[in-house]
């Protein structure tokens, strides 16, 4: 967390909620929370490393795949 956000109590509350929610989620496609300190002067959280493509690569590959799969129709359809 950026140190200036540590001064924002609303942000700290949201951060605590996110850490609690992340600790409840488990599965093959999620990175578990290893540890966190929501009450530290600068709150922090650590998750396990999840091997995989970057978000940019995943989005690019998905868009490329759709374009190939649906051809001209996908490129001509309006986005919603």
């Amino acid at each position: 967390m950026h140190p200036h956000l540590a001064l924002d109590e609303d942000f700290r509350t949201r951060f605590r909620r996110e850490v609690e929610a992340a600790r409840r989620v488990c599965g093959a496609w999620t990175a578990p929370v290893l540890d966190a300190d929501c009450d530290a002067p600068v709150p922090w959280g650590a998750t396990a490393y999840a091997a995989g493509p970057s978000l940019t690569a995943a989005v690019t590959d998905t868009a490329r795949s759709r374009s190939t799969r649906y051809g001209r129709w996908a490129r001509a359809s309006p986005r919603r």
Side-chain angles (χ1 to χ4, degrees):
M1 171 187 302
H2 292 282
H4 71 278
L5 294 174
L7 302 174
D8 183 341
E9 284 304 316
D10 288 337
F11 187 87
R12 278 181 172 267
T13 299
R14 288 192 311 273
F15 182 76
R16 180 176 279 105
R17 241 187 348 250
E18 290 296 324
V19 167
E20 290 168 358
R23 283 184 166 148
R24 290 190 302 266
V25 175
C26 61
W29 306 108
T30 58
V33 175
L34 300 176
D35 201 2
D37 187 349
C38 299
D39 297 315
V42 177
W44 59 272
T47 62
Y49 176 75
S54 69
L55 179 59
T56 300
V59 169
T60 301
D61 290 348
T62 298
R64 188 176 299 122
S65 173
R66 264 192 200 145
S67 177
T68 302
R69 188 178 318 138
Y70 299 112
R72 187 180 304 151
W73 179 82
R75 290 187 293 276
S77 298
R79 306 245 176 196
R80 293 178 198 227

